């Protein structure tokens, strides 16, 4: 085994993910399929750890696997500009802001319903359940 090569187990431990995560990213094409040793072990290049950390961090920032694939493609594209990455980050910010707005609306509605429910009486009279059962959205 090449000193700079990492088995899947070693790669997973180095980055702090489980083996199935590495296999999953490999199946999804986010990690290139590595060569195998004569005994059949995957031998990932040392760069795979950096790529795996990149994927995890991008996920933490809300990027989908498809969006991460695009970012990885930009990273190696000779014609890509930082403006391309910036546009994607700005689109993600817009997406996050829309999600925050939606969550704030849900929180407001739940607060109102919670205030309307005394917690006493029959479940059938609970305004929270009545609201969930209504056809209004």
């Amino acid at each position: 085994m090449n000193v700079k090569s990492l088995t899947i187990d070693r790669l997973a431990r180095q980055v702090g993910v489980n083996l199935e995560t590495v296999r999953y990213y490999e199946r999804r094409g986010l990690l290139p399929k590595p060569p195998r040793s004569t005994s059949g072990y995957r031998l990932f290049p040392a760069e795979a750890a950096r790529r795996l950390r990149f994927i995890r961090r991008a996920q933490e920032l809300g990027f989908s696997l498809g969006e991460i694939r695009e970012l990885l493609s930009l990273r190696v594209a000779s014609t890509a500009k930082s403006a391309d990455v910036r546009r994607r980050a700005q689109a993600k910010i817009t997406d996050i802001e829309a999600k925050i707005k939606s969550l704030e609306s849900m929180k407001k509605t739940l607060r109102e319903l919670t205030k309307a429910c005394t917690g006493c009486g029959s479940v059938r009279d609970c305004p929270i359940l009545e609201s969930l059962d209504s056809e209004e959205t």
Side-chain angles (χ1 to χ4, degrees):
M1 173 168 68
N2 181 335
V3 175
K4 296 196 180 219
S5 294
L6 300 168
T7 61
I8 190 169
D9 181 57
R10 203 158 176 212
L11 174 62
R13 275 188 282 125
Q14 186 176 346
V15 178
V17 299
N18 65 46
L19 295 173
E20 283 308 310
T21 300
V22 177
R23 289 181 183 119
Y24 179 73
Y25 291 152
E26 186 183 344
R27 281 193 310 272
R28 296 292 307 263
L30 295 170
L31 283 175
K33 291 204 181 292
R36 292 189 179 255
S37 68
T38 53
S39 52
Y41 291 104
R42 292 174 176 91
L43 298 176
F44 289 91
E47 170 63 20
R50 179 176 178 226
R51 189 175 182 109
L52 194 50
R53 282 188 200 94
F54 177 93
I55 294 166
R56 289 192 60 219
R57 181 68 177 131
Q59 280 186 302
E60 289 170 2
L61 292 174
F63 288 97
S64 69
L65 293 183
E67 292 165 332
I68 293 169
R69 185 177 290 105
E70 290 176 12
L71 291 172
L72 289 167
S73 295
L74 288 173
R75 192 183 216 184
V76 296
S78 60
T79 59
K81 305 268 189 262
S82 64
D84 299 323
V85 177
R86 188 173 195 272
R87 270 192 298 280
R88 282 166 175 80
Q90 286 174 320
K92 184 49 60 183
I93 291 168
T94 300
D95 181 46
I96 290 168
E97 287 171 344
K99 288 177 182 176
I100 290 170
K101 187 176 178 181
S102 176
L103 288 169
E104 288 291 341
S105 176
M106 287 187 273
K107 182 172 89 173
K108 180 182 175 198
T109 300
L110 283 171
R111 275 208 172 120
E112 290 168 1
L113 290 169
T114 303
K115 285 179 186 176
C117 179
T118 63
C120 299
S122 170
V123 170
R124 286 185 292 231
D125 299 326
C126 178
I128 297 169
L129 293 178
E130 286 178 16
S131 171
L132 296 174
D133 203 24
S134 80
E135 291 184 23
E136 295 178 28
T137 47

